[in-house]
Amino acid sequence: MARTKQFDEEVMLNNAMLFFWHKGYNGTSPQEILDELKLSRSSLYDTYGDKRSLFISALKRYRSSVTVEIIEFLASAENIPEALKTLFQRTKAQCFVGEEKRGCFMVNSKVELAPHDEEVAAIVKENREALENAFTAAIKRGQEKGQLSKDNPPRSLARFIMNNLWGLSVHSKSGADKKVFDDIIRITLSVIK
Amino acid sequence: MARTKQFDEEVMLNNAMLFFWHKGYNGTSPQEILDELKLSRSSLYDTYGDKRSLFISALKRYRSSVTVEIIEFLASAENIPEALKTLFQRTKAQCFVGEEKRGCFMVNSKVELAPHDEEVAAIVKENREALENAFTAAIKRGQEKGQLSKDNPPRSLARFIMNNLWGLSVHSKSGADKKVFDDIIRITLSVIK
DNA sequence: AATATAACGGAACTTTTGTTCCGCAAATAT
DNA sequence: ATATTTGCGGAACAAAAGTTCCGTTATATT
């Protein structure tokens, strides 16, 4: 009955996310998105609504892919210290793509927008809580298995871990080299052991 | 010979800094600055140059006031664990002004701009290095005085401390309550003791 | 093959952004 | 008091941002 889209909606949303990740919300113009995605203006507006809607969709997509992946990884981990180490190494790697200091899309977005956009603030908050719960559960299991020290409550440790993961995102924007990351990761992990 | 300015250049720069802190660089228009500072367009452009120059001046001002204050505080501290605790408490307090999730101006700025603006990247990098050196020196003194554990090299600990301070800035944008801050601060400080 | 429906290309338009410019006003130094 | 210089108010403007609209094109269904 009707013409089909000449692009994959999910792929394009992912590309838009990468671009917002790269340049931020206010730093990105519709024209740049069109050029980057090689999409026509009307296709973009018909499919995703206005710029802000597109951004919100991108942020939700991050939540349902990257965040979900971390949560599932933690939920299925047997060796918790090992799993945490892996997450820190991955974060370190993903903070940089080539020479670009990209940090984390969720961190970038909340720093730029959370104080002024209630919807962003809500997504960001839910994301934080979901991650905190996932870390808490994993750390609790690790403590019960005797893999982690019981010096601190699981939830406190979860918050501490997340604080350091997010700190790395900021460090990646600060011109810090990889050795800085290694120092931080080593000391952070030594706390929970 | 000539008319005098009807405003205090430093006070206005400080107000501009607070506004950029509040709304970010790309989120702030010249018009908003004029309204906020109650300044005429020509006064603003004559005094500070264009918007970007004003922003750079604001960032440098932060460097030479807030950062310098921290460095001097660390340099003159006798009781290092106490001094670090004070810095964390201050950071916690300054992350919020009323209900606003303001974070840290340097952190906000680097997350938004460092990857795309070389001058910002340079300021941010120098700021990081200066702070790292100040923390390193203070921690070294603390270790020599027997106030701090020698389990880790001073510079590694300095990086770890800064990572947690910056992490708090991100946490303030995430809808975390004060209890989250307290957990993080308690565990972070327990590492160095 | 015809038809209905949605996608696409791009013109067009409104607002906002970021800046410059000009004429008048005010204060200082003589 | 006057001349000189700088500051100020605001008009004006070019460019970009953000969005809408419309005519054409393609395709899935009948």
Side-chain angles (χ1 to χ4, degrees), chain B residues 98-137:
Chain B
E99 283 305 297
E100 157 93 13
K101 308 157 187 158
R102 71 206 288 253
C104 158
F105 182 46
M106 193 61 72
V107 169
N108 297 356
S109 299
K110 63 182 138 192
V111 167
E112 184 183 5
L113 301 174
H116 309 104
D117 187 316
E118 287 195 15
E119 196 169 359
V120 170
I123 293 170
V124 148
K125 189 178 185 196
E126 188 281 332
N127 189 71
R128 188 192 73 74
E129 289 166 350
L131 277 174
E132 187 183 295
N133 290 336
F135 275 104
T136 300

Side-chain angles (χ1 to χ4, degrees), chain B:
Chain B
M1 233 172 178
R3 189 174 172 180
T4 48
K5 281 189 202 297
Q6 297 189 318
F7 59 93
D8 184 314
E9 222 172 298
E10 284 302 305
V11 170
M12 281 302 168
L13 179 56
N14 197 63
N15 290 342
M17 179 186 83
L18 291 174
F19 202 80
F20 280 129
W21 192 339
H22 177 64
K23 297 260 286 169
Y25 177 74
N26 286 312
T28 300
S29 71
Q31 189 57 53
E32 286 176 295
I33 298 173
L34 299 180
D35 293 346
E36 174 72 17
L37 306 197
K38 276 149 195 159
L39 212 57
S40 89
R41 217 172 295 279
S42 43
S43 295
L44 187 126
Y45 280 88
D46 285 354
T47 308
Y48 304 102
D50 61 15
K51 180 186 160 190
R52 189 172 163 285
S53 302
L54 174 62
F55 181 84
I56 296 287
S57 299
L59 202 56
K60 287 181 175 169
R61 186 189 160 74
Y62 184 93
R63 165 67 177 89
S64 63
S65 56
V66 181
T67 301
V68 162
E69 211 207 325
I70 294 170
I71 290 171
E72 290 176 350
F73 176 73
L74 285 169
S76 66
E78 297 287 341
N79 185 334
I80 307 302
E82 196 57 42
L84 294 177
K85 188 176 178 182
T86 301
L87 282 181
F88 271 97
Q89 293 303 337
R90 266 204 241 168
T91 298
K92 173 185 161 187
Q94 294 186 356
C95 273
F96 301 95
V97 164
E99 283 305 297
E100 157 93 13
K101 308 157 187 158
R102 71 206 288 253
C104 158
F105 182 46
M106 193 61 72
V107 169
N108 297 356
S109 299
K110 63 182 138 192
V111 167
E112 184 183 5
L113 301 174
H116 309 104
D117 187 316
E118 287 195 15
E119 196 169 359
V120 170
I123 293 170
V124 148
K125 189 178 185 196
E126 188 281 332
N127 189 71
R128 188 192 73 74
E129 289 166 350
L131 277 174
E132 187 183 295
N133 290 336
F135 275 104
T136 300
I139 289 168
K140 197 175 172 211
R141 266 189 303 127
Q143 287 182 336
E144 284 164 358
K145 285 185 180 182
Q147 296 171 344
L148 299 176
S149 127
K150 293 183 182 174
D151 290 353
N152 287 291
R155 189 161 298 274
S156 300
L157 284 169
R159 290 165 174 175
F160 169 75
I161 292 289
M162 287 171 63
N163 201 56
N164 280 281
L165 284 169
W166 289 346
L168 291 187
S169 275
V170 179
H171 259 102
S172 79
K173 305 279 187 172
S174 312
D177 62 32
K178 303 275 166 83
K179 283 185 183 173
V180 175
F181 282 69
D182 293 336
D183 276 342
I184 293 163
I185 294 171
R186 188 174 46 73
I187 296 182
T188 302
L189 293 177
S190 76
V191 175
I192 54 164
K193 272 246 176 92

